[in-house]
């Protein structure tokens, strides 16, 4: 394990910061290089090496991989669902070309492993709404979902054709307090906590009864590392695994927050993100991940809400 040299691309983002810190705990600070197009996130400062990388520049990426003796890449750079709908061609370009650059370099340099996240956004209005299975009808309606679905099949292709050990999870909406979210449809479930702590109120851009699959960040980080550490022979899915934890609506999370902040008031002003949310399943069947590498979430809505509020209140 100590011989690994890991490059995390997109390390200053919502997942990247927490994943980099978790990997540094396991593999050692100097074995995990944080990389991003933007400046180093303050939470990463003095915790290990940082390099500036544009994943769209394949040569720059390739040079860094050779220079730093990288053995594994975690690719987190992407444009998410809501931002993607504002600039579809940019989202397609970054989400596809960034992945292809990493897969090519992994193939050429014979890297040990690659991690790349997909999303529940691969599913569309024709997929089952409840307990959406691993394999089902998949007809995404957002550019983000299309890019994730195509990306899953590129991962599958590089694994079968070139032997690149690339692994992937279809994350649900991820909820966290350490670094800000990057423009997703599920971001309301983060903003609501900040609104509750700052001024006892929040206006949701999704309707009150919009159920979506969600997960607390500690579960997502653990799932990622557990998948990456699972024996290759146990993995039956080389596109991307469904994983699940919690499913709730804006009204339900508001009720949970009111248990801590009784004066909290939620109002609703749905916008263009409602149509995106309506196209996604309400809950996910993750039994294949459970069977293959023993995936199990730890946080439910109550435990997550308590932890989010405590930490946001501490940082106020
Ligand atoms: P984010 O937007 O918070 O972070 C992405 C990071 O990538 C940013 O720091 C950004 O500066 C960086 N980046 C952008 N373009 C780059 C480039 N050309 N070169 C290098 N870095 C670049 O996103 P996130 O929420 O941390 O998501 C990470 C991954 O997880 C994405 O693939 C996303 O689709 C996936 N995902 C996230 C969620 C979620 O709820 N956060 C859910 C499902 C899937
Ligand atoms: N949280 C992400 C989004 O809303 C799901 O991939 O875009």
């Amino acid at each position: 394990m100590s011989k690994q040299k890991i490059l995390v691309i997109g390390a200053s983002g919502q997942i990247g910061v927490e994943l980099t810190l978790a990997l540094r705990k396991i593999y050692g600070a100097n074995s995990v290089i944080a990389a991003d197009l933007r400046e180093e996130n303050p939470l990463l400062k003095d915790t290990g090496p940082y390099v500036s990388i544009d994943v769209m520049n394949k040569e720059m990426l390739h040079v860094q991989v050779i220079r730093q003796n990288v053995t594994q890449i975690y690719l987190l750079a992407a444009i998410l669902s809501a931002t993607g709908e504002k600039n579809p061609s940019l989202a397609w370009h970054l989400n596809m070309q960034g992945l292809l650059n990493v897969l090519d370099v992994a193939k050429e340099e014979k890297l040990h492993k690659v991690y790349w996240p997909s999303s529940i956004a691969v599913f569309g209005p024709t997929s089952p709404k409840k307990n959406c299975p691993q394999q089902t009808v998949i007809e995404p309606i957002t550019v983000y979902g299309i890019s994730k679905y195509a990306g899953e099949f590129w991962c599958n292709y590089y694994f079968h054709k070139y032997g690149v050990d690339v692994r992937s999870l279809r994350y649900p909406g991820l909820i966290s307090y350490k670094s800000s979210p990057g423009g997703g449809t599920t971001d309301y479930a983060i903003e609501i906590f900040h609104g509750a702590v700052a001024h006892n109120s929040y206006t949701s851009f999704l309707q009150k009864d919009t159920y979506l699959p969600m997960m607390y960040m500690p579960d997502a980080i653990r799932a990622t590392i557990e998948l990456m550490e699972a024996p290759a022979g146990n993995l039956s899915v080389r596109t991307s695994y469904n994983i699940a934890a919690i499913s709730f609506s804006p009204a339900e999370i508001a009720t949970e927050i009111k248990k801590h902040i009784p004066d909290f008031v939620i109002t609703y002003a749905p916008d263009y993100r409602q149509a995106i949310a309506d196209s996604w399943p309400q809950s996910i069947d993750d039994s294949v991940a459970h069977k293959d590498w023993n995936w199990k979430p730890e946080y439910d809505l109550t435990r997550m809400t308590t932890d989010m509020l405590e930490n946001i209140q501490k940082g106020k």
Side-chain angles (χ1 to χ4, degrees), residues 56-81:
M56 299 302 281
N57 184 335
K58 190 175 160 193
E59 250 178 56
M60 179 203 264
L61 173 69
H62 204 155
V63 166
Q64 285 290 357
V65 165
I66 295 171
R67 188 180 290 162
Q68 312 268 2
N69 294 314
V70 168
T71 60
Q72 295 188 20
I73 296 180
Y74 287 67
L75 171 59
L76 304 171
I79 290 179
L80 279 81
S81 61

Side-chain angles (χ1 to χ4, degrees), residues 81 85 121-123 140-150 280:
S81 61
E85 290 311 289
V122 293
F123 299 115
I141 58 158
T142 60
V143 66
Y144 176 66
I146 299 168
S147 73
K148 288 296 182 189
Y149 199 39
W280 291 347

Side-chain angles (χ1 to χ4, degrees), residues 172 213-216 219 243-247 284 286 295 297-300:
M214 302 280 191
M215 182 178 283
Y216 198 32
D219 272 340
I243 51 164
I246 328 169
S247 178
I284 300 288
D286 60 358
W295 160 245
E298 284 177 0
Y299 284 84
D300 60 13

Side-chain angles (χ1 to χ4, degrees), residues 62 65-66 70-71 103-112:
H62 204 155
V65 165
I66 295 171
V70 168
T71 60
L103 290 175
D104 271 342
V105 170
K107 179 185 98 181
E108 284 161 38
E109 295 309 318
K110 298 190 172 33
L111 299 192
H112 298 177

Side-chain angles (χ1 to χ4, degrees), residues 13-15 36 38 53-55 76 117-118 144 148 171-172 174:
Q14 190 201 353
I15 302 172
D36 206 294
R38 60 174 149 158
I53 285 184
D54 178 357
V55 75
L76 304 171
S118 182
Y144 176 66
K148 288 296 182 189
Y171 289 134
L174 300 183

Side-chain angles (χ1 to χ4, degrees), residues 41-57:
N41 185 293
L43 294 173
L44 294 178
K45 283 243 179 317
D46 303 322
T47 69
Y50 173 83
V51 291
S52 175
I53 285 184
D54 178 357
V55 75
M56 299 302 281
N57 184 335

